[in-house]
Amino acid sequence: MARPREFDTDTAMQGAMRVFWMKGYAATNLPDLLSAMGITRGSFYKAFDDKESVYLAALDYYDDKIVSTVVERLSAGTDDSASACLAPLFACTGDAADKGCFICNAMVELAPFNAKVAERTGRMAERVRAAIEDVLRRFDIGGNDTHRRELSTLVLHLYFGFHAMGRASRVHGDWQARLSRLFGEAAPA
Amino acid sequence: MARPREFDTDTAMQGAMRVFWMKGYAATNLPDLLSAMGITRGSFYKAFDDKESVYLAALDYYDDKIVSTVVERLSAGTDDSASACLAPLFACTGDAADKGCFICNAMVELAPFNAKVAERTGRMAERVRAAIEDVLRRFDIGGNDTHRRELSTLVLHLYFGFHAMGRASRVHGDWQARLSRLFGEAAPA
DNA sequence: ACGATTAGGAACCATTTGGTACAAAACAAC
DNA sequence: GTTGTTTTGTACCAAATGGTTCCTAATCGT
């Protein structure tokens, strides 16, 4: 061992995730990335390979921190309706407020051209879909397993489209009322 | 008058639309764009302003050609169910097969940073939503106007999410069955 | 204390970027 | 055919890009 690293890898990765999440891969140049990570070129290329590998690591970080949190919230939801339990998917607070969904952004920008991105985003999307399916199962929505799976895919698409539009306008309308009717729940007060 | 233009503006714009639609704005460099348009630098900068203005023109071209066609098909649909009438939105043939939806792509990549892109994509999305609403009205789906508007927004988000995911994988599942159940239609044969 | 080892930062590099300048070429008017 | 006008293609440019080098400084093991 010798001189220890001055920056915190986790903090730097969080910055990388944020900037790639907001601006995308191509529009993020190295100075942008470095200042978001709080380090300089030297440290960057000592600790990481290149821009692309950090992007992939940022996707993994998103999976580990954001997707995992959402999935846990979905499976731990104690609300009395499925639409309420799915709220974490449509919450527009914190990072998601202006950045949308990193999975969706990466799918749209890079998945057709980068197999690693396609694989990661596909895997994360499946995690989210499975979590949605679990919520539907808890509330016995969708009838049989086949239909429930289809319905969970529908909600997943809804989730992506919701956040894609959110990047263009901050007007989302009443998503919970829409979901509530979709599930045939009694109208909330 | 003098030397006439050798290239066809409409053909060139179609090429520009295709390449921006597929690769996005930042990932399309000038050589890519020029070869897609079938012209060289000289002609390009004589006939157009710069890369960004051509991107905006490509969005307008998409509005004029693709969105208009879809909207017309939606309003002229003679199928016997709403889900069948909405098929043009979820057709994965031709350009849409691998490129997804240009509105969605532009919203995700540029709308947060470019007001003109945000305005155009917002306007196109509203055209599509209104056309969906019309289909729902024709089949008397959604109950009252308020709910129908919410439901049309839901289908619009579904449409965006569907094509966002389509850029990562070509597996879409049975979208019509999902819509059919969503609308409470009798199960198709 | 000191050598080994590693982080940090600035200068540097080749390539690519979007955009311009300009001369040759192709037409219309006469 | 001459002239005037506009298009086209190529050569060119400055700036920005991602990435490397290299030197200094900091910290560890002994």
Side-chain angles (χ1 to χ4, degrees), chain A residues 112-137:
Chain A
F113 316 103
N114 187 317
K116 292 175 183 171
V117 172
E119 189 271 331
R120 281 166 170 81
T121 54
R123 189 157 34 82
M124 287 191 272
E126 172 55 22
R127 282 190 74 191
V128 174
R129 191 209 57 77
I132 294 169
E133 192 179 8
D134 271 346
V135 171
L136 298 180
R137 189 178 297 111

mmCIF file with all atom_site columns, all heavy atoms in Angstrom, chain A residues 112-137:
data_model
loop_
_atom_site.group_PDB
_atom_site.id
_atom_site.type_symbol
_atom_site.label_atom_id
_atom_site.label_alt_id
_atom_site.label_comp_id
_atom_site.label_asym_id
_atom_site.label_entity_id
_atom_site.label_seq_id
_atom_site.pdbx_PDB_ins_code
_atom_site.Cartn_x
_atom_site.Cartn_y
_atom_site.Cartn_z
_atom_site.occupancy
_atom_site.B_iso_or_equiv
_atom_site.pdbx_formal_charge
_atom_site.auth_seq_id
_atom_site.auth_comp_id
_atom_site.auth_asym_id
_atom_site.auth_atom_id
_atom_site.pdbx_PDB_model_num
ATOM 1   N N   . PRO A 1 112 ? -29.680 0.251   -28.769 1.00 0.00 ? 112 PRO A N   1
ATOM 2   C CA  . PRO A 1 112 ? -29.574 -0.336  -30.106 1.00 0.00 ? 112 PRO A CA  1
ATOM 3   C C   . PRO A 1 112 ? -28.136 -0.481  -30.600 1.00 0.00 ? 112 PRO A C   1
ATOM 4   O O   . PRO A 1 112 ? -27.893 -1.209  -31.559 1.00 0.00 ? 112 PRO A O   1
ATOM 5   C CB  . PRO A 1 112 ? -30.331 0.661   -30.995 1.00 0.00 ? 112 PRO A CB  1
ATOM 6   C CG  . PRO A 1 112 ? -31.193 1.452   -30.081 1.00 0.00 ? 112 PRO A CG  1
ATOM 7   C CD  . PRO A 1 112 ? -30.440 1.515   -28.794 1.00 0.00 ? 112 PRO A CD  1
ATOM 8   N N   . PHE A 1 113 ? -27.202 0.209   -29.962 1.00 0.00 ? 113 PHE A N   1
ATOM 9   C CA  . PHE A 1 113 ? -25.838 0.238   -30.488 1.00 0.00 ? 113 PHE A CA  1
ATOM 10  C C   . PHE A 1 113 ? -24.823 -0.378  -29.545 1.00 0.00 ? 113 PHE A C   1
ATOM 11  O O   . PHE A 1 113 ? -23.650 -0.493  -29.881 1.00 0.00 ? 113 PHE A O   1
ATOM 12  C CB  . PHE A 1 113 ? -25.420 1.683   -30.777 1.00 0.00 ? 113 PHE A CB  1
ATOM 13  C CG  . PHE A 1 113 ? -26.477 2.473   -31.474 1.00 0.00 ? 113 PHE A CG  1
ATOM 14  C CD1 . PHE A 1 113 ? -27.246 3.383   -30.775 1.00 0.00 ? 113 PHE A CD1 1
ATOM 15  C CD2 . PHE A 1 113 ? -26.725 2.276   -32.827 1.00 0.00 ? 113 PHE A CD2 1
ATOM 16  C CE1 . PHE A 1 113 ? -28.243 4.104   -31.415 1.00 0.00 ? 113 PHE A CE1 1
ATOM 17  C CE2 . PHE A 1 113 ? -27.709 2.991   -33.465 1.00 0.00 ? 113 PHE A CE2 1
ATOM 18  C CZ  . PHE A 1 113 ? -28.479 3.908   -32.762 1.00 0.00 ? 113 PHE A CZ  1
ATOM 19  N N   . ASN A 1 114 ? -25.249 -0.720  -28.351 1.00 0.00 ? 114 ASN A N   1
ATOM 20  C CA  . ASN A 1 114 ? -24.306 -1.207  -27.350 1.00 0.00 ? 114 ASN A CA  1
ATOM 21  C C   . ASN A 1 114 ? -24.932 -2.387  -26.614 1.00 0.00 ? 114 ASN A C   1
ATOM 22  O O   . ASN A 1 114 ? -25.844 -2.236  -25.805 1.00 0.00 ? 114 ASN A O   1
ATOM 23  C CB  . ASN A 1 114 ? -23.968 -0.076  -26.367 1.00 0.00 ? 114 ASN A CB  1
ATOM 24  C CG  . ASN A 1 114 ? -22.864 -0.455  -25.393 1.00 0.00 ? 114 ASN A CG  1
ATOM 25  O OD1 . ASN A 1 114 ? -22.857 -1.558  -24.857 1.00 0.00 ? 114 ASN A OD1 1
ATOM 26  N ND2 . ASN A 1 114 ? -21.929 0.451   -25.187 1.00 0.00 ? 114 ASN A ND2 1
ATOM 27  N N   . ALA A 1 115 ? -24.407 -3.575  -26.895 1.00 0.00 ? 115 ALA A N   1
ATOM 28  C CA  . ALA A 1 115 ? -24.995 -4.795  -26.349 1.00 0.00 ? 115 ALA A CA  1
ATOM 29  C C   . ALA A 1 115 ? -24.948 -4.804  -24.827 1.00 0.00 ? 115 ALA A C   1
ATOM 30  O O   . ALA A 1 115 ? -25.865 -5.306  -24.170 1.00 0.00 ? 115 ALA A O   1
ATOM 31  C CB  . ALA A 1 115 ? -24.262 -6.012  -26.910 1.00 0.00 ? 115 ALA A CB  1
ATOM 32  N N   . LYS A 1 116 ? -23.872 -4.240  -24.255 1.00 0.00 ? 116 LYS A N   1
ATOM 33  C CA  . LYS A 1 116 ? -23.781 -4.233  -22.792 1.00 0.00 ? 116 LYS A CA  1
ATOM 34  C C   . LYS A 1 116 ? -24.867 -3.362  -22.177 1.00 0.00 ? 116 LYS A C   1
ATOM 35  O O   . LYS A 1 116 ? -25.429 -3.697  -21.134 1.00 0.00 ? 116 LYS A O   1
ATOM 36  C CB  . LYS A 1 116 ? -22.391 -3.753  -22.363 1.00 0.00 ? 116 LYS A CB  1
ATOM 37  C CG  . LYS A 1 116 ? -21.284 -4.727  -22.722 1.00 0.00 ? 116 LYS A CG  1
ATOM 38  C CD  . LYS A 1 116 ? -19.904 -4.153  -22.384 1.00 0.00 ? 116 LYS A CD  1
ATOM 39  C CE  . LYS A 1 116 ? -18.800 -5.117  -22.815 1.00 0.00 ? 116 LYS A CE  1
ATOM 40  N NZ  . LYS A 1 116 ? -17.457 -4.507  -22.687 1.00 0.00 ? 116 LYS A NZ  1
ATOM 41  N N   . VAL A 1 117 ? -25.124 -2.246  -22.811 1.00 0.00 ? 117 VAL A N   1
ATOM 42  C CA  . VAL A 1 117 ? -26.202 -1.384  -22.326 1.00 0.00 ? 117 VAL A CA  1
ATOM 43  C C   . VAL A 1 117 ? -27.544 -2.088  -22.492 1.00 0.00 ? 117 VAL A C   1
ATOM 44  O O   . VAL A 1 117 ? -28.399 -2.064  -21.593 1.00 0.00 ? 117 VAL A O   1
ATOM 45  C CB  . VAL A 1 117 ? -26.197 -0.036  -23.077 1.00 0.00 ? 117 VAL A CB  1
ATOM 46  C CG1 . VAL A 1 117 ? -27.439 0.779   -22.721 1.00 0.00 ? 117 VAL A CG1 1
ATOM 47  C CG2 . VAL A 1 117 ? -24.937 0.749   -22.777 1.00 0.00 ? 117 VAL A CG2 1
ATOM 48  N N   . ALA A 1 118 ? -27.728 -2.746  -23.631 1.00 0.00 ? 118 ALA A N   1
ATOM 49  C CA  . ALA A 1 118 ? -28.984 -3.458  -23.872 1.00 0.00 ? 118 ALA A CA  1
ATOM 50  C C   . ALA A 1 118 ? -29.200 -4.544  -22.823 1.00 0.00 ? 118 ALA A C   1
ATOM 51  O O   . ALA A 1 118 ? -30.304 -4.712  -22.298 1.00 0.00 ? 118 ALA A O   1
ATOM 52  C CB  . ALA A 1 118 ? -28.975 -4.055  -25.278 1.00 0.00 ? 118 ALA A CB  1
ATOM 53  N N   . GLU A 1 119 ? -28.126 -5.242  -22.512 1.00 0.00 ? 119 GLU A N   1
ATOM 54  C CA  . GLU A 1 119 ? -28.245 -6.326  -21.530 1.00 0.00 ? 119 GLU A CA  1
ATOM 55  C C   . GLU A 1 119 ? -28.601 -5.773  -20.150 1.00 0.00 ? 119 GLU A C   1
ATOM 56  O O   . GLU A 1 119 ? -29.528 -6.251  -19.495 1.00 0.00 ? 119 GLU A O   1
ATOM 57  C CB  . GLU A 1 119 ? -26.917 -7.102  -21.477 1.00 0.00 ? 119 GLU A CB  1
ATOM 58  C CG  . GLU A 1 119 ? -26.970 -8.383  -20.657 1.00 0.00 ? 119 GLU A CG  1
ATOM 59  C CD  . GLU A 1 119 ? -26.630 -8.134  -19.200 1.00 0.00 ? 119 GLU A CD  1
ATOM 60  O OE1 . GLU A 1 119 ? -25.855 -7.191  -18.910 1.00 0.00 ? 119 GLU A OE1 1
ATOM 61  O OE2 . GLU A 1 119 ? -27.149 -8.867  -18.345 1.00 0.00 ? 119 GLU A OE2 1
ATOM 62  N N   . ARG A 1 120 ? -27.884 -4.732  -19.731 1.00 0.00 ? 120 ARG A N   1
ATOM 63  C CA  . ARG A 1 120 ? -28.147 -4.164  -18.402 1.00 0.00 ? 120 ARG A CA  1
ATOM 64  C C   . ARG A 1 120 ? -29.547 -3.570  -18.304 1.00 0.00 ? 120 ARG A C   1
ATOM 65  O O   . ARG A 1 120 ? -30.268 -3.801  -17.316 1.00 0.00 ? 120 ARG A O   1
ATOM 66  C CB  . ARG A 1 120 ? -27.093 -3.095  -18.078 1.00 0.00 ? 120 ARG A CB  1
ATOM 67  C CG  . ARG A 1 120 ? -25.771 -3.674  -17.610 1.00 0.00 ? 120 ARG A CG  1
ATOM 68  C CD  . ARG A 1 120 ? -24.686 -2.598  -17.632 1.00 0.00 ? 120 ARG A CD  1
ATOM 69  N NE  . ARG A 1 120 ? -23.463 -3.021  -16.972 1.00 0.00 ? 120 ARG A NE  1
ATOM 70  C CZ  . ARG A 1 120 ? -22.542 -3.782  -17.525 1.00 0.00 ? 120 ARG A CZ  1
ATOM 71  N NH1 . ARG A 1 120 ? -22.727 -4.254  -18.750 1.00 0.00 ? 120 ARG A NH1 1
ATOM 72  N NH2 . ARG A 1 120 ? -21.432 -4.110  -16.865 1.00 0.00 ? 120 ARG A NH2 1
ATOM 73  N N   . THR A 1 121 ? -29.922 -2.775  -19.280 1.00 0.00 ? 121 THR A N   1
ATOM 74  C CA  . THR A 1 121 ? -31.249 -2.154  -19.212 1.00 0.00 ? 121 THR A CA  1
ATOM 75  C C   . THR A 1 121 ? -32.347 -3.208  -19.273 1.00 0.00 ? 121 THR A C   1
ATOM 76  O O   . THR A 1 121 ? -33.358 -3.094  -18.577 1.00 0.00 ? 121 THR A O   1
ATOM 77  C CB  . THR A 1 121 ? -31.432 -1.138  -20.352 1.00 0.00 ? 121 THR A CB  1
ATOM 78  O OG1 . THR A 1 121 ? -31.170 -1.778  -21.596 1.00 0.00 ? 121 THR A OG1 1
ATOM 79  C CG2 . THR A 1 121 ? -30.518 0.052   -20.182 1.00 0.00 ? 121 THR A CG2 1
ATOM 80  N N   . GLY A 1 122 ? -32.126 -4.235  -20.088 1.00 0.00 ? 122 GLY A N   1
ATOM 81  C CA  . GLY A 1 122 ? -33.119 -5.301  -20.162 1.00 0.00 ? 122 GLY A CA  1
ATOM 82  C C   . GLY A 1 122 ? -33.273 -6.012  -18.824 1.00 0.00 ? 122 GLY A C   1
ATOM 83  O O   . GLY A 1 122 ? -34.384 -6.302  -18.380 1.00 0.00 ? 122 GLY A O   1
ATOM 84  N N   . ARG A 1 123 ? -32.155 -6.251  -18.174 1.00 0.00 ? 123 ARG A N   1
ATOM 85  C CA  . ARG A 1 123 ? -32.181 -6.920  -16.882 1.00 0.00 ? 123 ARG A CA  1
ATOM 86  C C   . ARG A 1 123 ? -32.897 -6.066  -15.836 1.00 0.00 ? 123 ARG A C   1
ATOM 87  O O   . ARG A 1 123 ? -33.731 -6.559  -15.070 1.00 0.00 ? 123 ARG A O   1
ATOM 88  C CB  . ARG A 1 123 ? -30.744 -7.231  -16.439 1.00 0.00 ? 123 ARG A CB  1
ATOM 89  C CG  . ARG A 1 123 ? -30.629 -8.104  -15.231 1.00 0.00 ? 123 ARG A CG  1
ATOM 90  C CD  . ARG A 1 123 ? -29.277 -8.835  -15.160 1.00 0.00 ? 123 ARG A CD  1
ATOM 91  N NE  . ARG A 1 123 ? -28.161 -8.067  -15.698 1.00 0.00 ? 123 ARG A NE  1
ATOM 92  C CZ  . ARG A 1 123 ? -27.510 -7.121  -15.014 1.00 0.00 ? 123 ARG A CZ  1
ATOM 93  N NH1 . ARG A 1 123 ? -27.883 -6.818  -13.791 1.00 0.00 ? 123 ARG A NH1 1
ATOM 94  N NH2 . ARG A 1 123 ? -26.490 -6.482  -15.567 1.00 0.00 ? 123 ARG A NH2 1
ATOM 95  N N   . MET A 1 124 ? -32.582 -4.770  -15.819 1.00 0.00 ? 124 MET A N   1
ATOM 96  C CA  . MET A 1 124 ? -33.227 -3.884  -14.847 1.00 0.00 ? 124 MET A CA  1
ATOM 97  C C   . MET A 1 124 ? -34.722 -3.779  -15.116 1.00 0.00 ? 124 MET A C   1
ATOM 98  O O   . MET A 1 124 ? -35.533 -3.807  -14.179 1.00 0.00 ? 124 MET A O   1
ATOM 99  C CB  . MET A 1 124 ? -32.579 -2.498  -14.901 1.00 0.00 ? 124 MET A CB  1
ATOM 100 C CG  . MET A 1 124 ? -31.198 -2.469  -14.289 1.00 0.00 ? 124 MET A CG  1
ATOM 101 S SD  . MET A 1 124 ? -30.566 -0.786  -14.057 1.00 0.00 ? 124 MET A SD  1
ATOM 102 C CE  . MET A 1 124 ? -29.792 -0.481  -15.642 1.00 0.00 ? 124 MET A CE  1
ATOM 103 N N   . ALA A 1 125 ? -35.081 -3.662  -16.382 1.00 0.00 ? 125 ALA A N   1
ATOM 104 C CA  . ALA A 1 125 ? -36.505 -3.566  -16.712 1.00 0.00 ? 125 ALA A CA  1
ATOM 105 C C   . ALA A 1 125 ? -37.242 -4.799  -16.235 1.00 0.00 ? 125 ALA A C   1
ATOM 106 O O   . ALA A 1 125 ? -38.363 -4.706  -15.702 1.00 0.00 ? 125 ALA A O   1
ATOM 107 C CB  . ALA A 1 125 ? -36.678 -3.381  -18.222 1.00 0.00 ? 125 ALA A CB  1
ATOM 108 N N   . GLU A 1 126 ? -36.615 -5.954  -16.398 1.00 0.00 ? 126 GLU A N   1
ATOM 109 C CA  . GLU A 1 126 ? -37.260 -7.187  -15.950 1.00 0.00 ? 126 GLU A CA  1
ATOM 110 C C   . GLU A 1 126 ? -37.415 -7.214  -14.424 1.00 0.00 ? 126 GLU A C   1
ATOM 111 O O   . GLU A 1 126 ? -38.430 -7.697  -13.919 1.00 0.00 ? 126 GLU A O   1
ATOM 112 C CB  . GLU A 1 126 ? -36.455 -8.389  -16.446 1.00 0.00 ? 126 GLU A CB  1
ATOM 113 C CG  . GLU A 1 126 ? -36.910 -9.732  -15.899 1.00 0.00 ? 126 GLU A CG  1
ATOM 114 C CD  . GLU A 1 126 ? -38.397 -10.020 -16.141 1.00 0.00 ? 126 GLU A CD  1
ATOM 115 O OE1 . GLU A 1 126 ? -38.981 -9.412  -17.060 1.00 0.00 ? 126 GLU A OE1 1
ATOM 116 O OE2 . GLU A 1 126 ? -38.970 -10.824 -15.383 1.00 0.00 ? 126 GLU A OE2 1
ATOM 117 N N   . ARG A 1 127 ? -36.438 -6.669  -13.704 1.00 0.00 ? 127 ARG A N   1
ATOM 118 C CA  . ARG A 1 127 ? -36.570 -6.586  -12.243 1.00 0.00 ? 127 ARG A CA  1
ATOM 119 C C   . ARG A 1 127 ? -37.798 -5.758  -11.880 1.00 0.00 ? 127 ARG A C   1
ATOM 120 O O   . ARG A 1 127 ? -38.578 -6.133  -10.993 1.00 0.00 ? 127 ARG A O   1
ATOM 121 C CB  . ARG A 1 127 ? -35.339 -5.903  -11.625 1.00 0.00 ? 127 ARG A CB  1
ATOM 122 C CG  . ARG A 1 127 ? -34.117 -6.767  -11.500 1.00 0.00 ? 127 ARG A CG  1
ATOM 123 C CD  . ARG A 1 127 ? -33.062 -6.060  -10.649 1.00 0.00 ? 127 ARG A CD  1
ATOM 124 N NE  . ARG A 1 127 ? -33.400 -6.067  -9.231  1.00 0.00 ? 127 ARG A NE  1
ATOM 125 C CZ  . ARG A 1 127 ? -32.760 -5.344  -8.310  1.00 0.00 ? 127 ARG A CZ  1
ATOM 126 N NH1 . ARG A 1 127 ? -31.764 -4.543  -8.666  1.00 0.00 ? 127 ARG A NH1 1
ATOM 127 N NH2 . ARG A 1 127 ? -33.116 -5.414  -7.044  1.00 0.00 ? 127 ARG A NH2 1
ATOM 128 N N   . VAL A 1 128 ? -37.931 -4.613  -12.548 1.00 0.00 ? 128 VAL A N   1
ATOM 129 C CA  . VAL A 1 128 ? -39.057 -3.731  -12.240 1.00 0.00 ? 128 VAL A CA  1
ATOM 130 C C   . VAL A 1 128 ? -40.371 -4.417  -12.597 1.00 0.00 ? 128 VAL A C   1
ATOM 131 O O   . VAL A 1 128 ? -41.327 -4.393  -11.818 1.00 0.00 ? 128 VAL A O   1
ATOM 132 C CB  . VAL A 1 128 ? -38.913 -2.388  -12.985 1.00 0.00 ? 128 VAL A CB  1
ATOM 133 C CG1 . VAL A 1 128 ? -40.152 -1.530  -12.772 1.00 0.00 ? 128 VAL A CG1 1
ATOM 134 C CG2 . VAL A 1 128 ? -37.659 -1.661  -12.532 1.00 0.00 ? 128 VAL A CG2 1
ATOM 135 N N   . ARG A 1 129 ? -40.386 -5.036  -13.769 1.00 0.00 ? 129 ARG A N   1
ATOM 136 C CA  . ARG A 1 129 ? -41.629 -5.699  -14.187 1.00 0.00 ? 129 ARG A CA  1
ATOM 137 C C   . ARG A 1 129 ? -42.031 -6.784  -13.198 1.00 0.00 ? 129 ARG A C   1
ATOM 138 O O   . ARG A 1 129 ? -43.204 -6.896  -12.814 1.00 0.00 ? 129 ARG A O   1
ATOM 139 C CB  . ARG A 1 129 ? -41.466 -6.313  -15.579 1.00 0.00 ? 129 ARG A CB  1
ATOM 140 C CG  . ARG A 1 129 ? -42.776 -6.800  -16.197 1.00 0.00 ? 129 ARG A CG  1
ATOM 141 C CD  . ARG A 1 129 ? -42.563 -7.961  -17.149 1.00 0.00 ? 129 ARG A CD  1
ATOM 142 N NE  . ARG A 1 129 ? -41.907 -9.092  -16.517 1.00 0.00 ? 129 ARG A NE  1
ATOM 143 C CZ  . ARG A 1 129 ? -42.518 -9.934  -15.707 1.00 0.00 ? 129 ARG A CZ  1
ATOM 144 N NH1 . ARG A 1 129 ? -43.785 -9.796  -15.421 1.00 0.00 ? 129 ARG A NH1 1
ATOM 145 N NH2 . ARG A 1 129 ? -41.838 -10.931 -15.146 1.00 0.00 ? 129 ARG A NH2 1
ATOM 146 N N   . ALA A 1 130 ? -41.064 -7.566  -12.757 1.00 0.00 ? 130 ALA A N   1
ATOM 147 C CA  . ALA A 1 130 ? -41.372 -8.637  -11.805 1.00 0.00 ? 130 ALA A CA  1
ATOM 148 C C   . ALA A 1 130 ? -41.908 -8.064  -10.500 1.00 0.00 ? 130 ALA A C   1
ATOM 149 O O   . ALA A 1 130 ? -42.822 -8.630  -9.886  1.00 0.00 ? 130 ALA A O   1
ATOM 150 C CB  . ALA A 1 130 ? -40.119 -9.476  -11.553 1.00 0.00 ? 130 ALA A CB  1
ATOM 151 N N   . ALA A 1 131 ? -41.352 -6.926  -10.091 1.00 0.00 ? 131 ALA A N   1
ATOM 152 C CA  . ALA A 1 131 ? -41.830 -6.299  -8.854  1.00 0.00 ? 131 ALA A CA  1
ATOM 153 C C   . ALA A 1 131 ? -43.269 -5.816  -9.021  1.00 0.00 ? 131 ALA A C   1
ATOM 154 O O   . ALA A 1 131 ? -44.090 -5.925  -8.094  1.00 0.00 ? 131 ALA A O   1
ATOM 155 C CB  . ALA A 1 131 ? -40.919 -5.137  -8.473  1.00 0.00 ? 131 ALA A CB  1
ATOM 156 N N   . ILE A 1 132 ? -43.568 -5.271  -10.204 1.00 0.00 ? 132 ILE A N   1
ATOM 157 C CA  . ILE A 1 132 ? -44.943 -4.850  -10.485 1.00 0.00 ? 132 ILE A CA  1
ATOM 158 C C   . ILE A 1 132 ? -45.863 -6.058  -10.435 1.00 0.00 ? 132 ILE A C   1
ATOM 159 O O   . ILE A 1 132 ? -46.939 -6.018  -9.832  1.00 0.00 ? 132 ILE A O   1
ATOM 160 C CB  . ILE A 1 132 ? -45.025 -4.162  -11.864 1.00 0.00 ? 132 ILE A CB  1
ATOM 161 C CG1 . ILE A 1 132 ? -44.233 -2.851  -11.866 1.00 0.00 ? 132 ILE A CG1 1
ATOM 162 C CG2 . ILE A 1 132 ? -46.482 -3.917  -12.253 1.00 0.00 ? 132 ILE A CG2 1
ATOM 163 C CD1 . ILE A 1 132 ? -44.039 -2.248  -13.247 1.00 0.00 ? 132 ILE A CD1 1
ATOM 164 N N   . GLU A 1 133 ? -45.409 -7.138  -11.056 1.00 0.00 ? 133 GLU A N   1
ATOM 165 C CA  . GLU A 1 133 ? -46.226 -8.352  -11.076 1.00 0.00 ? 133 GLU A CA  1
ATOM 166 C C   . GLU A 1 133 ? -46.526 -8.828  -9.647  1.00 0.00 ? 133 GLU A C   1
ATOM 167 O O   . GLU A 1 133 ? -47.646 -9.255  -9.352  1.00 0.00 ? 133 GLU A O   1
ATOM 168 C CB  . GLU A 1 133 ? -45.484 -9.445  -11.852 1.00 0.00 ? 133 GLU A CB  1
ATOM 169 C CG  . GLU A 1 133 ? -46.343 -10.652 -12.187 1.00 0.00 ? 133 GLU A CG  1
ATOM 170 C CD  . GLU A 1 133 ? -45.557 -11.701 -12.972 1.00 0.00 ? 133 GLU A CD  1
ATOM 171 O OE1 . GLU A 1 133 ? -44.324 -11.541 -13.110 1.00 0.00 ? 133 GLU A OE1 1
ATOM 172 O OE2 . GLU A 1 133 ? -46.178 -12.657 -13.453 1.00 0.00 ? 133 GLU A OE2 1
ATOM 173 N N   . ASP A 1 134 ? -45.531 -8.705  -8.779  1.00 0.00 ? 134 ASP A N   1
ATOM 174 C CA  . ASP A 1 134 ? -45.745 -9.104  -7.384  1.00 0.00 ? 134 ASP A CA  1
ATOM 175 C C   . ASP A 1 134 ? -46.836 -8.275  -6.721  1.00 0.00 ? 134 ASP A C   1
ATOM 176 O O   . ASP A 1 134 ? -47.678 -8.807  -5.992  1.00 0.00 ? 134 ASP A O   1
ATOM 177 C CB  . ASP A 1 134 ? -44.434 -8.959  -6.597  1.00 0.00 ? 134 ASP A CB  1
ATOM 178 C CG  . ASP A 1 134 ? -43.606 -10.224 -6.674  1.00 0.00 ? 134 ASP A CG  1
ATOM 179 O OD1 . ASP A 1 134 ? -44.160 -11.256 -7.091  1.00 0.00 ? 134 ASP A OD1 1
ATOM 180 O OD2 . ASP A 1 134 ? -42.411 -10.174 -6.314  1.00 0.00 ? 134 ASP A OD2 1
ATOM 181 N N   . VAL A 1 135 ? -46.787 -6.966  -6.963  1.00 0.00 ? 135 VAL A N   1
ATOM 182 C CA  . VAL A 1 135 ? -47.822 -6.102  -6.386  1.00 0.00 ? 135 VAL A CA  1
ATOM 183 C C   . VAL A 1 135 ? -49.197 -6.529  -6.885  1.00 0.00 ? 135 VAL A C   1
ATOM 184 O O   . VAL A 1 135 ? -50.152 -6.646  -6.106  1.00 0.00 ? 135 VAL A O   1
ATOM 185 C CB  . VAL A 1 135 ? -47.547 -4.623  -6.745  1.00 0.00 ? 135 VAL A CB  1
ATOM 186 C CG1 . VAL A 1 135 ? -48.734 -3.750  -6.330  1.00 0.00 ? 135 VAL A CG1 1
ATOM 187 C CG2 . VAL A 1 135 ? -46.267 -4.141  -6.065  1.00 0.00 ? 135 VAL A CG2 1
ATOM 188 N N   . LEU A 1 136 ? -49.290 -6.758  -8.191  1.00 0.00 ? 136 LEU A N   1
ATOM 189 C CA  . LEU A 1 136 ? -50.582 -7.159  -8.754  1.00 0.00 ? 136 LEU A CA  1
ATOM 190 C C   . LEU A 1 136 ? -51.053 -8.470  -8.124  1.00 0.00 ? 136 LEU A C   1
ATOM 191 O O   . LEU A 1 136 ? -52.236 -8.662  -7.848  1.00 0.00 ? 136 LEU A O   1
ATOM 192 C CB  . LEU A 1 136 ? -50.469 -7.316  -10.269 1.00 0.00 ? 136 LEU A CB  1
ATOM 193 C CG  . LEU A 1 136 ? -50.097 -6.048  -11.049 1.00 0.00 ? 136 LEU A CG  1
ATOM 194 C CD1 . LEU A 1 136 ? -50.021 -6.334  -12.547 1.00 0.00 ? 136 LEU A CD1 1
ATOM 195 C CD2 . LEU A 1 136 ? -51.079 -4.926  -10.770 1.00 0.00 ? 136 LEU A CD2 1
ATOM 196 N N   . ARG A 1 137 ? -50.112 -9.372  -7.885  1.00 0.00 ? 137 ARG A N   1
ATOM 197 C CA  . ARG A 1 137 ? -50.478 -10.655 -7.304  1.00 0.00 ? 137 ARG A CA  1
ATOM 198 C C   . ARG A 1 137 ? -50.986 -10.479 -5.871  1.00 0.00 ? 137 ARG A C   1
ATOM 199 O O   . ARG A 1 137 ? -51.955 -11.111 -5.467  1.00 0.00 ? 137 ARG A O   1
ATOM 200 C CB  . ARG A 1 137 ? -49.283 -11.618 -7.338  1.00 0.00 ? 137 ARG A CB  1
ATOM 201 C CG  . ARG A 1 137 ? -49.651 -13.051 -6.949  1.00 0.00 ? 137 ARG A CG  1
ATOM 202 C CD  . ARG A 1 137 ? -48.457 -13.998 -7.027  1.00 0.00 ? 137 ARG A CD  1
ATOM 203 N NE  . ARG A 1 137 ? -47.932 -14.134 -8.375  1.00 0.00 ? 137 ARG A NE  1
ATOM 204 C CZ  . ARG A 1 137 ? -46.752 -13.670 -8.772  1.00 0.00 ? 137 ARG A CZ  1
ATOM 205 N NH1 . ARG A 1 137 ? -45.959 -13.042 -7.912  1.00 0.00 ? 137 ARG A NH1 1
ATOM 206 N NH2 . ARG A 1 137 ? -46.356 -13.824 -10.010 1.00 0.00 ? 137 ARG A NH2 1
#
